[in-house]
Amino acid sequence: MAVGIIIIGDEILSGRRHDKHLPKFIELLAERGMQLGWAEYVGDDPARITATLRRTFASDDIVFVTGGIGATPDDHTRQCAAAALNVPLVLTPEAEALIMERIADTSPDGRADMTQADNRHRLKMGEFPVGARVLPNPYNKIPGFSVEQHHFMPGFPVMAWPMMAWALDTYYADLHHLTKHTERSVLVFGLAESTLTPLMEAIEAEYDGIKVFSLPSVGDAERGAVYARRHIDLGVKGDPSLVGAAFERLIAGVEALGGEIVHPAEAVALPEGTVPPAE
């Protein structure tokens, strides 16, 4: 079982909007000692959305889905979720009540006048696949929905993020901080990844439950100082009881290969006006 997120919307794929959900969801998971297993972006294509959901419903993954649950012609997620499950959409009574509360809240006379066509149309936002549960929206009461281990919410961050947190805390509290995890890393200069690969493989073989990661950089002048030079962010992550020993093994191995090591805490920012050193 993994935790995944599906972010739906043509506006993300076209660049009209920049996705903010992925980094925030990673942050919400980290606060609870959980990790993201995968992420997918999907445009407003009903066939593709349906196929994606059919695949994820067939897995045992926990899946969060943002976008496309409104009632305009470009919103397809509710319909696609129903199609993926091979069930009809129905107006969920709890969702209907919440939407009518919202209509009343925004009405000048405090009433939900359901003789108005636009108000009746808004009830479509409460049509969910049969068997779905309401996912509360603290921002404006218009709910999302949960079905099986999938949780559907609007694309608006101000709505989606509290809904993500609510679902994580309501349904998955038993998974919080279940897997202990830590990591340590250093910046390595003067060595190629190909040179470091045998060392990385040896450490993973010696320490079951430890992964070694390598993030190369051609140099980041904006960060300055040592970051402006070509380097590799090299580290180990996994079981806290093993990370310390694996990290010491990593340091010793890099030194034996002749690499230059800088610990992140020592990689201070470049003073303003200073020209980054050339590699």
Side-chain angles (χ1 to χ4, degrees), residues 3-9 19 21 25 36 38 40-44 49-50 52-54 56-57 61-69 76-78 80-81 135 144-147 149-156 159-161 163-164 167:
V3 180
I5 184 169
I6 301 171
I7 298 160
I8 295 174
D19 172 49
H21 293 306
F25 190 49
L36 184 66
W38 55 266
E40 293 189 31
Y41 292 94
V42 183
D44 295 313
I49 296 170
T50 300
T52 300
L53 291 174
R54 187 172 288 125
T56 59
F57 274 124
D61 288 349
I62 297 166
V63 182
F64 285 68
V65 185
T66 71
I69 66 169
H76 307 291
T77 304
R78 293 178 296 105
C80 292
L135 179 57
F145 64 97
S146 297
V147 57
Q149 293 201 120
H150 284 52
H151 309 281
F152 297 81
M153 59 210 67
F156 299 103
M159 302 178 193
W161 297 353
M163 296 167 82
M164 289 175 178

Side-chain angles (χ1 to χ4, degrees), residues 11-41:
E11 67 279 4
I12 299 297
L13 300 183
S14 70
R16 289 178 63 86
R17 295 285 188 275
H18 294 290
D19 172 49
K20 299 179 181 178
H21 293 306
L22 183 58
K24 183 62 178 183
F25 190 49
I26 291 171
E27 176 187 320
L28 291 171
L29 289 170
E31 290 172 355
R32 293 159 176 79
M34 301 172 69
Q35 285 188 294
L36 184 66
W38 55 266
E40 293 189 31
Y41 292 94

Side-chain angles (χ1 to χ4, degrees), residues 25-162:
F25 190 49
I26 291 171
E27 176 187 320
L28 291 171
L29 289 170
E31 290 172 355
R32 293 159 176 79
M34 301 172 69
Q35 285 188 294
L36 184 66
W38 55 266
E40 293 189 31
Y41 292 94
V42 183
D44 295 313
D45 178 343
R48 190 175 297 275
I49 296 170
T50 300
T52 300
L53 291 174
R54 187 172 288 125
R55 169 170 49 82
T56 59
F57 274 124
S59 74
D60 63 353
D61 288 349
I62 297 166
V63 182
F64 285 68
V65 185
T66 71
I69 66 169
T72 56
D74 59 339
D75 291 319
H76 307 291
T77 304
R78 293 178 296 105
Q79 299 90 327
C80 292
L85 292 166
N86 197 30
V87 299
L89 286 174
V90 294
L91 180 58
T92 305
E94 187 178 352
E96 179 182 15
L98 288 167
I99 293 169
M100 291 183 67
E101 281 184 27
R102 175 61 179 175
I103 293 171
D105 290 344
T106 57
S107 172
D109 61 4
R111 296 175 55 251
D113 183 358
M114 301 314 294
T115 65
Q116 296 185 20
D118 57 341
N119 284 343
R120 293 196 301 274
H121 182 74
R122 293 172 76 180
L123 289 178
K124 286 188 172 296
M125 293 187 290
E127 294 180 355
F128 302 147
V130 168
R133 310 177 301 280
V134 161
L135 179 57
N137 179 350
Y139 183 79
N140 66 1
K141 296 184 181 178
I142 305 297
F145 64 97
S146 297
V147 57
E148 298 184 4
Q149 293 201 120
H150 284 52
H151 309 281
F152 297 81
M153 59 210 67
F156 299 103
V158 70
M159 302 178 193
W161 297 353

